[in-house]
Amino acid sequence: MDLDSRMSLVSVVGAAGKMGSGITFLLAQEMARLSLLPENKGKLYRLIAVDLDPNALRGLQEYVHVQAVKAAEKSAVGLRALYANRPDLVENSEIIEDYTRRIDAMVWPTTDLAAVAGSRLVFEAIVEKIEIKTSVYRQLKELCPDAYFFTNTSSVPIGVLDREAGLGGRVLGVHFYNPPPVQKLVEIIRADSTTDDVVAVATEIGKRLRKTLIPSHDVAGFIGNGHFIRDGNHGLAEAARLAKEHGWPKAFHIVNRVSQDWLLRPMGIFQLIDYVGIDVFKFIQTVMGKYLPETLSDPVIDRMIEKKVLGGQNPDGSQKPGFFTYEKGRIVSVYDLDKGVYLPLDPAGWTGEADAALGPLPEPFRPWKGLVGAPDRSAALVAHFERVAAQRSLGGELARTYLGRSREIGRKLVADGVAFDADGVNGVLTSGFFHLYGPINDYCK
Amino acid sequence: MKSLRKPVYLVCGDYTMSFGTGRKEFNPKKSRPGLEHYIAEAGQAVVGQLPDPTVVDEGYVGNFMAARFNHQGHLGAMFALVHPSFEYKPSTRVEGACCSGGLSVASAVKSVLADASDVVLALGVEVQNTVKAIYGADILAGAGHYAGERKNGHAYFFPAKFSDRAGAYKERFGEKGTWEGMGRWYEQAIVNARTNEKAQEFQNADPDPFATHQAMKPNGKSFCDHINVLDCSKVSDGAAGILVASAVGLARAGKTPSEAVQLVGIGHAVADLTTAPQDLTKLTTSQRAVEQALAMAGLTIKDIGVFDIHDCFTITGILTVEALGLAPHGEGAAYVAAGKTRRDGPTPMNTTGGLVGWGHPTGASGVRQIVDVYKQLTGKAGSSQIQIPADRPYGLTISMGGNDRTVVACVLRRAA
Ligand SMILES: NC(=O)c1ccc[n+]([C@@H]2O[C@H](COP(=O)([O-])OP(=O)(O)OC[C@H]3O[C@@H](n4cnc5c(N)ncnc54)[C@H](O)[C@@H]3O)[C@@H](O)[C@H]2O)c1
C-alpha cells in the first residue's frame, strides 16, 4: 500500500454535490496535513474537483474555504504543532491563514473530466444513476489506469459497477453519510471482485479521516438504507392503518411521536424522511427494488410524490414541506393526504385528541437529548423499555410492534449476509443514525 | 517609594457592566458598544457624583491592547469624552498588560504625590469581544515575551502558562487537593458574582458550580492539560474609574473623608519579561509588591479584612493566597477548599466574583478591584456588601500583568 504517494494527486468526481463537497473538504484537510510534514516539503499536492456544474464549483470553493477556516480555528492547538518547523509563522492568525490558503490552493475545480488524468485515488459522488455512473467510470478507467475508485453510491451494487465498467476489481463502496465532515460513519462495501489493496488503502484513509468504518456486503442499500427504507415502510404502513380510523394528520402525528418519543430516536420517522427527501426515499426504494427480490415501494410515498410533496432542504438548510411543515426546525403543521392541505398543530384540538389516543409517555420520561450523553444511559434504556413493555396503551402497543419490526429488519440484514454480524447493524444505526441502541437488542422481548 | 509624603484619597469609584459570554443579552453576532462608550460611561458614573466635575485636573487611562482588539491607539485623548471641561487637560494612557488598570491608579497616585494634580481620574478600559477567542489569545499573548516564547507557546498562550503552573502545583502538592481547590475557587467566584448585577456571571444559575467544575476534566487536545475553561477569567468588555485626590483635592471635589478611602500603602514591582519564572508554584513578584505595600502601611497580612486579587485563573487565586502569606507554600489549595476565602470566611476575596466571575476587561480590572474594595470599606457595596471586621479595617488589592511580571498592590482603609 503506497497511500502517501497516492494522496499527492486525488480526484473527486461530482465534487460540487452535497456529498462530493464534504468529501472534498475532508480530503483537502488530510492532504494539507501531509503537505506540512517536513519530509513532504516542496511536494505538490493536488485535489482535482470535477463537476458538471460550474456554478456549483464556485460554491464548492466558498464552502471549502469557510469550512477550512472553521476547522483551523477549532483545531488551532494541534495545528501549531504541525507548524512547529515554520519559524516565520508565529501567531494563531498567521498559522490559520496559511493553512486555509493551503487548502484553498489544493482544490483545483474543473468541469473537465480529463483533468483527473494520472490520479491514483478517485472518489466518485455523482448522481445515483447506474448508466451515468457506468459511463463515467469507463472514461475514468482510461484517464487514470492506476487509480483506485471509491464510489459513494447508496444503492448500486459495487460488483455491477465493476463488471459494467470493466474496472478489474479496483473499485470499492466508500459510503459516507450526509454531511461527510460531521457524520462519523462510513460503510465499506467490497464486491467479490474488489482487490485487498483497495480495501487496505480505503481503511487507512478512513482512519486518517477519523471515521468509524463498518463493512457491509455488496447488497443494494447496504446496511444503512437496508434498515432505513424498511423501517420507514413499517412506519408508513402503520400510518395508513391508523388513518382509516383517525385520518391522516393524526396518523402521521401518532407514528412520528411513537418513533421519536417511545423509541427514543433523535427524530421521528416522518421527520427523518422529510429530512432525507420523500423523492430521495422513493428513489432508493426503486434502486434497491431493482436488485432485491422484495417489493419496497409504498403507496403513501407514491401518493405524496403524486401531490408533489417532496420534503428535502432549501439551499439555506431549512426544511421544505413534506409530511410536516417546519418553523426553525420545529414541526408546526401536518399534511392531510386526502385533502392535500396542512393542518396546524392544535394541542387544544386535534393534536390533543391524537395524544390522548396514544396515552401517556412512560414516566419518568427522559428524551433522546437527555440520554445521549448521560453516563447512566444503558440502565436508563433498560428501565424505559421495561415501562414501555408494561404499557397497555396505543403508544405502548405501537412502540413494541415498531421495536419488533426494527429488530426483524436488523436480523434479516445479518441473515441475508448484508451485514457481517449484529454489531455491524447496530453500529450503523448508532453511529450513522444516532440511535441510542441498535435494532438487534433484548428490549421488550 | 518608602512612604507616602501626604495623604492620598480615593473616592466616587464606579464601573460599567462586564459584558461578554455569560450575560444573556450578549450575542456575538450583534454589534456592540466600543471603547468610546465604555470610557464615557465609567468616567461619567464617577464624575457624575461630583457637584462640579471641572475640579478634575488630570486623567489616566489604563488599557492593554486596544491597538489590536479595536485598531485604536491614543486612548489618553479619550479622557476628554467624559466631560466637556476635560478638553485641553492632561491625560495619559498607561499599559502594563493585565496590570494596566493597576498602573492607571498608581500613576494617578504618583501625580498627586508629586503635587502635579489634586484630583485625578484613573480609568481603565478594555473591549475584547471584537475577535474570536483563538485570535484574542494571540493578542493577549503580547503580555508574554513575543520573541522568546510565542513561537513555542500554546494556541491559548496564557491559559497554557497558568495550566503549566497548575500542573507543577498538582505534581508537587497533589492532584486531588489542587483540583478541588480550583473548583472551590470557581464556585466562590460564581457565588460572589451573583451578588453583583454588573458581573458577567451574575445570571449564572448553576445549582452546583463546584460539581460542574469538577466534572469538566482538562483536555489538552482541545484546550489545556491542567485547567478547563471554567478555570479561566472571562473575555470581557468593560471599564472602571475612580478619583484619586489629595486632601485639598478631596475638599475641592466637595467630598468628605468619610465618603472616601485612604491609600496607606502601595507596592509596584516588575520582573524581567524575557525570563521565565523560576518556580512555577510561586508568584514571587506579587509577593514582593504585597510586602512593599504592607511595609509602607506598617501593617501585616493579619490586619487585612477584605481582598480583591488578580485571579486570572483559579490556580492564580490559590498561588496568591500563598504569596500573601495566608497559607504556607503548598497549602493554598487547602486554604481555599476550606472556605477561608469565601465571603463568609475569615479572609474574604473577590466579593463581586473576581476575574473569573465578575469578568476581566483586562485594562479595567486593576481599577475595578480598587473600586470594589472602596465600596466594601465605605459600605457602598450594595448586595455584595460584607461585614468588615472592626479590628481589621483594611482592604488589599493585587493587579498583576502577564505571568507575574508587573504587579501593583494597594492597601486601603476607610478615611474617617
Ligand atoms: N445525499 C445523501 O444523503 C447521500 C448519502 C450517502 C450517499 N449518497 C450518494 O452520493 C452520491 C451523490 O449524492 P448527492 O446527494 O451528493 O447528490 P447531488 O445531486 O447533491 O450531487 C451530485 C453532483 O454530481 C454532479 N454530477 C452529475 N453528473 C456528473 C458527471 N457526469 N460528471 C461530474 N459531475 C456530475 C452534479 O452536478 C452534482 O453536483 C449518490 O451516489 C448518492 O446516492 C448520498
Side-chain angles (χ1 to χ4, degrees):
Chain A
M1 181 178 53
D2 49 351
L3 178 59
D4 281 353
S5 90
R6 284 186 185 270
M7 287 296 280
S8 61
L9 177 57
V10 180
S11 292
V12 180
V13 184
K18 276 196 289 291
M19 302 303 290
S21 53
I23 295 167
T24 302
F25 171 63
L26 282 170
L27 291 169
Q29 272 187 301
E30 171 59 11
M31 289 164 73
R33 186 187 72 82
L34 287 173
S35 78
L36 280 162
L37 299 179
E39 62 267 31
N40 294 332
K41 204 171 171 189
K43 211 159 143 190
L44 183 63
Y45 283 83
R46 276 175 303 158
L47 180 50
I48 313 297
V50 187
D51 201 287
L52 289 181
D53 181 348
N55 284 325
L57 281 171
R58 288 282 307 143
L60 170 70
Q61 285 178 292
E62 182 61 24
Y63 165 82
V64 166
H65 177 76
V66 170
Q67 293 299 313
V69 173
K70 274 195 199 156
E73 288 173 347
K74 218 175 133 196
S75 60
V77 173
L79 212 49
R80 286 190 75 86
L82 209 48
Y83 277 84
N85 53 359
R86 285 294 301 270
D88 54 323
L89 299 172
V90 178
E91 297 211 319
N92 296 335
S93 59
E94 294 170 312
I95 288 169
I96 290 168
E97 201 183 319
D98 180 89
Y99 179 78
T100 346
R101 260 208 233 125
R102 191 172 285 264
I103 286 197
D104 290 348
M106 187 105 54
V107 178
W108 294 39
T110 174
T111 53
D112 179 11
L113 188 65
V116 306
S119 295
R120 298 180 64 214
L121 285 178
V122 177
F123 288 78
E124 171 271 313
I126 64 170
V127 282
E128 189 74 344
K129 292 231 167 73
I130 182 147
E131 320 76 60
I132 302 186
K133 283 206 200 273
T134 314
S135 114
V136 166
Y137 272 108
R138 287 198 183 118
Q139 299 171 60
L140 285 171
K141 178 181 68 173
E142 302 301 326
L143 289 163
C144 15
D146 298 334
Y148 288 175
F149 300 106
F150 298 143
T151 173
N152 202 49
T153 181
S154 303
S155 49
V156 178
I158 313 303
V160 173
L161 261 187
D162 191 11
R163 204 169 341 106
E164 306 262 309
L167 299 173
R170 284 185 290 122
V171 60
L172 180 74
V174 176
H175 187 230
F176 287 86
Y177 276 64
N178 185 20
V182 179
Q183 292 266 25
K184 284 272 162 251
L185 176 65
V186 175
E187 281 177 282
I188 297 290
I189 309 105
R190 147 175 221 174
D192 291 337
S193 51
T194 306
T195 62
D196 290 345
D197 197 47
V198 177
V199 180
V201 166
T203 307
E204 177 60 22
I205 295 178
K207 256 192 231 149
R208 291 206 192 164
L209 303 183
R210 276 182 248 120
K211 296 299 176 195
T212 306
L213 303 180
I214 295 189
S216 167
H217 281 300
D218 190 15
V219 178
F222 318 128
I223 300 171
N225 284 328
H227 185 275
F228 171 50
I229 296 296
R230 294 178 178 101
D231 185 82
N233 281 349
H234 172 73
L236 290 158
E238 288 285 77
R241 188 172 62 80
L242 290 165
K244 289 189 191 122
E245 185 187 337
H246 299 277
W248 287 107
K250 280 186 186 170
F252 288 145
H253 174 79
I254 285 173
V255 175
N256 197 62
R257 273 205 67 200
V258 167
S259 50
Q260 176 164 17
D261 295 341
W262 270 261
L263 299 193
L264 297 174
R265 293 180 178 181
M267 57 174 85
I269 187 64
F270 299 132
Q271 186 177 355
L272 180 60
I273 297 176
D274 279 354
Y275 175 82
V276 170
I278 295 171
D279 51 347
V280 175
F281 189 84
K282 165 80 194 165
F283 183 76
I284 304 173
Q285 281 179 329
T286 313
V287 183
M288 283 174 62
K290 213 163 104 187
Y291 299 101
L292 297 174
E294 186 181 344
T295 314
L296 289 168
S297 65
D298 174 89
V300 177
I301 290 289
D302 293 347
R303 282 183 67 191
M304 296 290 281
I305 289 175
E306 232 166 74
K307 298 205 184 249
K308 304 220 168 14
V309 177
L310 303 180
Q313 276 109 59
N314 292 308
D316 69 354
S318 63
Q319 184 66 48
K320 291 183 191 165
F323 289 96
F324 307 112
T325 61
Y326 303 82
E327 267 170 30
K328 293 190 180 145
R330 290 172 156 259
I331 296 170
V332 292
S333 73
V334 186
Y335 194 60
D336 186 328
L337 189 53
D338 286 334
K339 300 197 181 115
V341 294
Y342 284 92
L343 206 58
L345 291 190
D346 179 9
W350 73 267
T351 324
E353 288 162 22
D355 290 338
L358 259 178
L361 277 168
E363 294 289 348
F365 178 68
R366 284 160 77 187
W368 178 86
K369 225 173 148 180
L371 286 171
V372 71
D376 63 339
R377 170 168 141 175
S378 30
L381 283 172
V382 170
H384 171 82
F385 286 112
E386 271 169 12
R387 291 190 283 269
V388 171
Q391 275 193 324
R392 295 287 149 260
S393 60
L394 179 61
E397 206 177 288
L398 290 172
R400 289 191 296 272
T401 319
Y402 214 123
L403 211 59
R405 175 59 188 145
S406 169
R407 178 164 39 213
E408 193 181 357
I409 297 166
R411 285 189 179 143
K412 188 171 151 51
L413 288 168
V414 179
D416 290 353
V418 181
F420 283 61
D421 50 26
D423 286 348
V425 177
N426 289 349
V428 165
L429 272 295
T430 49
S431 61
F433 290 79
F434 302 100
H435 288 191
L436 297 173
Y437 55 93
I440 304 177
N441 58 59
D442 289 332
Y443 306 130
C444 300
K445 282 169 202 95
Chain B
M1 192 162 47
K2 285 251 155 48
S3 64
L4 297 163
R5 54 184 287 272
K6 64 180 187 179
V8 178
Y9 299 92
L10 296 101
V11 72
C12 301
D14 210 345
Y15 42 70
T16 68
M17 178 196 286
S18 181
F19 199 52
T21 55
R23 297 297 310 196
K24 292 209 167 73
E25 56 275 52
F26 177 76
N27 175 350
K29 294 203 179 100
K30 287 213 176 118
S31 72
R32 283 175 297 281
L35 292 160
E36 307 76 1
H37 166 89
Y38 283 101
I39 290 175
E41 183 184 328
Q44 285 159 6
V46 173
V47 303
Q49 299 175 47
L50 299 177
D52 175 15
T54 67
V55 299
V56 174
D57 297 314
E58 188 186 1
Y60 285 92
V61 181
N63 174 263
F64 176 26
M65 276 287 189
R68 293 197 64 190
F69 280 121
N70 320 97
H71 307 285
Q72 181 66 63
H74 205 170
L75 295 195
M78 283 201 189
F79 167 68
L81 278 172
V82 175
H83 193 266
S85 70
F86 294 180
E87 192 93 324
Y88 307 131
K89 285 182 179 172
S91 169
T92 311
R93 175 253 180 150
V94 290
E95 191 272 314
C98 300
C99 181
S100 299
L103 290 183
S104 173
V105 174
S107 303
V109 166
K110 286 175 189 171
S111 182
V112 167
L113 289 173
D115 294 338
S117 296
D118 282 308
V119 183
V120 185
L121 175 57
L123 289 164
V125 67
E126 205 78 50
V127 173
Q128 298 183 280
N129 282 297
T130 50
V131 296
K132 290 185 186 163
I134 190 67
Y135 304 113
D138 279 338
I139 297 177
L140 296 172
H145 183 225
Y146 179 82
E149 55 183 355
R150 181 63 185 122
K151 177 61 196 171
N152 294 328
H154 194 276
Y156 295 95
F157 183 83
F158 264 99
K161 288 282 167 213
F162 283 84
S163 167
D164 290 350
R165 284 184 177 275
Y169 195 95
K170 282 176 185 172
E171 192 175 317
R172 191 135 159 218
F173 303 117
E175 159 94 34
K176 195 168 164 284
T178 309
W179 186 239
E180 187 184 339
M182 290 163 68
R184 289 296 173 202
W185 188 276
Y186 171 72
E187 174 185 58
Q188 159 189 316
I190 299 303
V191 167
N192 287 343
R194 287 179 188 147
T195 67
N196 185 292
E197 60 184 19
K198 288 178 176 169
Q200 210 163 320
E201 290 292 340
F202 174 65
Q203 295 146 321
N204 185 317
D206 186 346
D208 192 348
F210 176 71
T212 305
H213 174 277
Q214 299 287 292
M216 198 186 286
K217 295 284 174 243
N219 176 358
K221 284 219 173 89
S222 55
F223 190 55
C224 293
D225 290 334
H226 303 290
I227 65 172
N228 66 32
V229 291
L230 303 179
D231 289 305
C232 304
S233 50
K234 312 278 311 173
V235 172
S236 313
D237 299 349
I242 195 163
L243 292 175
V244 180
S246 64
V248 172
L250 192 66
R252 205 197 292 154
K255 298 288 157 187
T256 63
S258 68
E259 296 169 88
V261 292
Q262 190 178 341
L263 180 81
V264 292
I266 185 166
H268 177 182
V270 301
D272 180 2
L273 182 64
T274 69
T275 57
Q278 277 189 343
D279 182 343
L280 291 179
T281 64
K282 285 182 176 170
L283 297 176
T284 51
T285 317
S286 296
Q287 186 181 336
R288 273 306 180 84
V290 168
E291 284 165 6
Q292 288 171 19
L294 286 171
M296 188 186 289
L299 299 171
T300 75
I301 200 67
K302 298 212 161 60
D303 297 311
I304 308 296
V306 63
F307 298 80
D308 212 295
I309 62 102
H310 189 95
D311 58 334
C312 47
F313 299 89
T314 56
I315 186 68
T316 327
I318 289 167
L319 299 182
T320 301
V321 162
E322 297 175 16
L324 287 165
L326 290 171
H329 190 206
E331 292 175 26
Y335 188 91
V336 172
K340 295 194 182 173
T341 55
R342 287 177 11 179
R343 56 193 306 109
D344 55 358
T347 52
M349 292 193 185
N350 300 4
T351 56
T352 61
L355 280 56
V356 170
W358 189 85
H360 186 25
T362 40
S365 284
V367 182
R368 194 276 306 153
Q369 296 176 293
I370 299 271
V371 173
D372 271 326
V373 167
Y374 147 81
K375 289 190 178 196
Q376 287 291 355
L377 295 178
T378 54
K380 293 189 175 91
S383 42
S384 298
Q385 187 69 50
I386 59 163
Q387 184 75 38
I388 304 293
D391 58 338
R392 292 187 292 143
Y394 297 93
L396 185 146
T397 61
I398 297 176
S399 175
M400 181 178 97
N403 197 356
D404 193 38
R405 303 286 94 179
T406 292
V407 181
V408 170
C410 294
V411 180
L412 307 161
R413 69 145 193 257
R414 191 172 185 147

